[in-house]
Amino acid sequence: MSIALLEAMSHGLATLVSDIPEKSRSYFLYGYTFKNKNVADLLGKLNGLLRNPEMVREMGEMQKKRVQQEYNWEAIVAKTQNVYQQVAAQKKIVKVPVRSVRKLKFAEKFFSLFF
């Protein structure tokens, strides 16, 4: 999901997105969608949401809880550590292409500016 979408959800705002595969796969049951490139469907969904402010508020709260549970740094760190622990437990050596190593070094330098 995009950062902008996650930020809106984190503030309890209900969101309406097009049903492109990138959005609808991770968005199922957590938000409102309209048919991609279909203005009539978008207009209908907007009108429906405007007529149901309580439903919009409830969806916004559900989205806020989802972001707090799935997209907070503690959860991300825990998931990342779990992956590392699984790899370490299997004692598999993963060969990283030189190009990826360069990207990792760049990322390390970039993030060191902030942390």
Side-chain angles (χ1 to χ4, degrees):
M1 268 192 250
S2 72
I3 298 295
L5 187 57
L6 287 171
E7 281 190 26
M9 292 168 65
S10 75
H11 290 284
L13 301 173
T15 54
L16 174 65
V17 299
S18 67
D19 65 355
I20 60 174
E22 294 80 17
K23 294 274 192 283
S24 60
R25 222 179 296 129
S26 61
Y27 205 67
F28 182 67
L29 293 179
Y30 289 103
Y32 303 108
T33 60
F34 65 93
K35 293 177 185 162
N36 189 38
K37 298 180 181 181
N38 187 326
V39 176
D41 189 48
L42 172 60
L43 183 60
K45 298 289 173 73
L46 286 171
N47 282 327
L49 295 172
L50 288 171
R51 285 191 301 263
N52 295 290
E54 184 59 26
M55 185 176 72
V56 171
R57 188 196 62 73
E58 288 174 9
M59 181 58 73
E61 286 301 312
M62 284 176 52
Q63 290 181 330
K64 183 177 182 177
K65 288 177 185 173
R66 179 182 183 209
V67 170
Q68 289 171 344
Q69 291 170 353
E70 296 181 29
Y71 294 96
N72 66 60
W73 280 112
E74 289 83 15
I76 292 168
V77 168
K79 289 176 186 177
T80 303
Q81 285 178 330
N82 187 34
V83 169
Y84 286 140
Q85 289 169 350
Q86 288 176 2
V87 170
Q90 295 173 3
K91 296 182 181 179
K92 289 186 177 179
I93 297 174
V94 179
K95 292 186 178 183
V96 179
V98 173
R99 184 174 24 166
S100 296
V101 171
R102 283 191 216 120
K103 288 180 183 177
L104 288 172
K105 287 182 180 177
F106 171 78
E108 286 174 357
K109 286 180 184 176
F110 177 77
F111 285 112
S112 70
L113 296 173
F114 302 102
F115 301 104

